[in-house]
Amino acid sequence: MPNKNSKLLQVCIIGSGPAGYYTAEALAKEENVRVDIIDKLPTPYGLIRGGVAPDHQKIKGVYRRYEKTSLGERVRFAGNLEAGQDVSLGELRELYDAVVLALGAPKDRTLGIPGDDKLGVIGSAEFVGWYNSHPDFAGLDPDLDISTVVVIGNGNVAVDAARVLAKTPQEMAASDLAPYAAEKIHAAPISKIWMLGRRGPLEAKFTPKEMGELGELQNCITVTDKDQIPDLTEEQLAALPLVVRKNMVHLKAFTGNRPEAGKKTLHMQFYSKPAEVLGEDRVTGLRLEKTRVENGNCIGTGEIFEIGCQMIIPCIGYRSVPLEGAKFREDWGCFDNQDGKIEDRLYCTGWARRGPTGTIGTNRPDGHQIAARILREVTPGGRPGGAGLDALAGRRGLEIITFGDWQKIEAAEEKAATGEAPRVKFHRTRDMLTAARR
Ligand SMILES: Cc1cc2nc3c(=O)[nH]c(=O)nc-3n(C[C@H](O)[C@H](O)[C@H](O)COP(=O)(O)OP(=O)(O)OC[C@H]3O[C@@H](n4cnc5c(N)ncnc54)[C@H](O)[C@@H]3O)c2cc1C
């Protein structure tokens, strides 16, 4: 008797972030494809839930699209299942015709300077995960009884971290900032936040909308140094990419700002390369070298200066975590692949494929391309797919969280919200599981 599943192409996607969902969305257009998206958390959507800033709910709204994919009959969410722990990649490759690594890049890149492991140096993956209720980081409990924070990086993650530290409770009222983080941040006596970049304003990676927000903070004045923002003619401005041009307008405006008594100051400083974290066990300051930029390259000038601070948040990029059975490039910080293919029947997409670059939308063509490649290259092999995964989970006593279970978690989080807040997120896996079982 032929196996009734023999014509179905069984695909497992590891990771339910944007890259995983865009891949599933494209695969699910084909009638003969069945997709299981597994995630180590009981909750889907990756950094949409645990990374994107809690006061940027509009951006988080993209999850509605992924929800649609999950509610279709060809895609299944299987949460609370960690590849490499609960189930090995080898086992998944036996159960499915193709496996896609969409694991993201959850580890911080380190500064790589003396003292970067001192207490008070907290990478953005940890810090952002903490204020976003990610179960891996909810226990971080940073010491915020401090006056000065240095945020290192000139991208939107640095802007997010600085803004969340700068905003008032009223400004965060419509957010889903973790209540334990809100309590700590809003009670913190922080008066000065530095945002440092090694290069200049023309090379910065943040986007104008995020820059604009820094000019509208209720209780924080954003300042830039006049001598660091070039005086460009109309013609020179017009020659710049639109994003840079718009950023320059904001940065120029900030040069006219002055610190105000009773308000926090966010000082954006360019041409500053971290050289050493100062302090005994705990951070007391940062030593830096002034730089100049030549042909896009950052060159140290030898001029050293110091900033006193009690906390440093490097926002300088991320790395993927290797998974046994998949080739990994230490130098890239992600999986070894050629156009998304690692080897036969094994693919990667999103940040696990290309590193931590681009926006949420960048993962769409990436996911769609991998889906097209799988449909071209892999034929159904009569593998058991989801039924096999369920049987394995049953044998191991693993509790798989379905999309229906997740919807119960989501409903409980929404019910717990008060005022303008959209939800109060669970930050402990056991509480999520309890809500799912209700
Ligand atoms: C702080 C921050 C803020 C951002 N803000 C914005 C923004 O405002 N706008 C924007 O366009 N982009 C933003 N981005 C970028 C955007 O979030 C990424 O482009 C996108 O999330 C990458 O998608 P991904 O699916 O590759 O990875 P992720 O979103 O990280 O998803 C990976 C998933 O894999 C799961 N996983 C990991 N390991 C395992 C395992 N072993 N087994 C099972 N599951 C596993 C994780 O739990 C996670 O759900 C932001 C990024 C960060 C870090």
Side-chain angles (χ1 to χ4, degrees):
M1 262 254 308
N3 178 343
K4 72 176 166 57
N5 280 342
S6 62
K7 292 217 166 61
L8 290 180
L9 185 71
Q10 303 281 2
V11 182
C12 177
I13 297 173
I14 308 175
S16 68
Y21 264 102
Y22 286 123
T23 309
E25 165 188 281
L27 285 166
K29 293 205 172 104
E30 298 300 315
E31 213 174 311
N32 74 324
V33 177
R34 293 295 175 274
V35 182
D36 275 357
I37 307 182
I38 73 169
D39 204 285
K40 65 178 198 161
L41 297 180
T43 54
Y45 311 139
L47 286 170
I48 302 300
R49 181 176 162 96
V52 171
D55 57 336
H56 281 179
Q57 289 298 317
K58 231 179 171 170
I59 294 171
K60 283 180 190 274
V62 67
Y63 78 87
R64 290 287 176 207
R65 177 176 179 148
Y66 311 147
E67 190 175 63
K68 254 193 207 153
T69 301
S70 270
L71 292 170
E73 56 179 20
R74 295 176 196 146
V75 175
R76 193 174 77 134
F77 173 71
N80 200 32
L81 210 54
E82 183 167 357
Q85 284 288 329
D86 299 319
V87 53
S88 72
L89 178 59
E91 288 166 330
L92 291 171
R93 295 191 68 189
E94 280 180 20
L95 295 173
Y96 295 86
D97 297 312
V99 175
V100 183
L101 309 186
L103 303 152
K107 277 259 175 293
D108 280 299
R109 277 188 199 276
T110 53
L111 284 168
I113 58 172
D116 66 359
D117 57 350
K118 288 191 199 304
L119 265 178
V121 181
I122 301 177
S124 59
E126 290 180 65
F127 189 66
V128 168
W130 171 71
Y131 67 57
N132 267 322
S133 308
H134 192 298
D136 287 355
F137 307 110
L140 183 69
D141 198 23
D143 181 2
L144 293 185
D145 191 12
I146 55 176
S147 63
T148 308
V149 178
V150 169
V151 179
I152 301 177
N154 264 179
N156 280 344
V157 175
V159 178
D160 283 353
R163 190 183 65 250
V164 169
L165 283 171
K167 275 192 168 180
T168 62
Q170 292 74 29
E171 287 174 298
M172 293 304 279
S175 79
D176 58 4
L177 178 65
Y180 58 80
E183 200 176 308
K184 260 199 134 161
I185 291 171
H186 298 140
I190 296 170
S191 57
K192 183 136 191 175
I193 303 163
W194 290 88
M195 203 170 108
L196 307 177
R198 286 190 313 158
R199 293 159 199 265
L202 295 175
E203 290 80 26
K205 295 278 186 283
F206 32 64
T207 48
K209 185 180 161 288
E210 277 66 23
M211 270 301 92
E213 278 181 274
L214 294 185
E216 291 162 6
L217 299 170
Q218 277 174 12
N219 193 39
C220 181
I221 306 290
T222 302
V223 299
T224 47
D225 295 343
K226 212 168 169 221
D227 57 357
Q228 293 199 330
I229 311 299
D231 242 333
L232 301 174
T233 61
E234 284 296 320
E235 209 178 3
Q236 285 168 320
L237 271 174
L240 294 172
L242 184 63
V243 167
V244 181
R245 204 184 322 155
K246 287 186 173 174
N247 279 340
M248 293 307 290
V249 172
H250 292 301
L251 291 169
K252 193 97 203 158
F254 299 156
T255 61
N257 290 346
R258 296 288 166 268
E260 282 180 28
K263 287 194 172 185
K264 292 177 184 169
T265 307
L266 170 56
H267 194 135
M268 297 183 64
Q269 165 115 1
F270 300 93
Y271 305 109
S272 303
K273 183 174 150 193
E276 185 179 350
V277 176
L278 306 173
E280 293 289 321
D281 299 339
R282 180 171 280 283
V283 176
T284 57
L286 182 62
R287 183 168 293 145
L288 299 116
E289 181 182 6
K290 286 200 175 162
T291 67
R292 63 173 192 277
V293 174
E294 270 176 32
N295 301 323
N297 296 319
C298 174
I299 297 164
T301 62
E303 194 180 333
I304 302 294
F305 67 105
E306 289 177 7
I307 292 176
C309 61
Q310 301 83 41
M311 185 174 175
I312 297 174
I313 307 175
C315 305
I316 53 170
Y318 304 95
R319 297 172 59 81
S320 296
V321 176
L323 180 65
E324 199 183 328
K327 284 178 281 174
F328 193 82
R329 286 282 300 253
E330 283 298 335
D331 52 344
W332 295 351
C334 59
F335 292 91
D336 189 0
N337 71 92
Q338 274 205 320
D339 295 330
K341 184 170 180 173
I342 299 173
E343 58 186 63
D344 277 352
R345 304 195 300 111
L346 183 61
Y347 300 84
C348 58
T349 182
W351 279 16
R353 167 188 174 179
R354 58 175 205 277
T357 58
T359 62
I360 295 164
T362 318
N363 300 294
R364 187 167 173 267
D366 203 346
H368 284 204
Q369 189 215 326
I370 290 305
R373 195 161 182 181
I374 291 171
L375 294 171
R376 237 180 10 249
E377 294 179 354
V378 186
T379 45
R383 291 186 173 79
L389 183 69
D390 289 346
L392 183 146
R395 285 197 301 277
R396 287 195 186 149
L398 302 168
E399 186 176 359
I400 291 183
I401 293 298
T402 64
F403 200 75
D405 295 332
W406 149 245
Q407 287 178 309
K408 289 189 211 162
I409 299 173
E410 187 182 33
E413 290 185 339
E414 286 171 0
K415 198 168 164 204
T418 53
E420 297 166 66
R423 64 187 71 79
V424 177
K425 286 191 239 168
F426 292 111
H427 60 274
R428 278 186 287 258
T429 302
R430 66 166 184 272
D431 296 335
M432 297 176 194
L433 298 180
T434 305
R437 286 185 204 120
R438 250 173 231 150

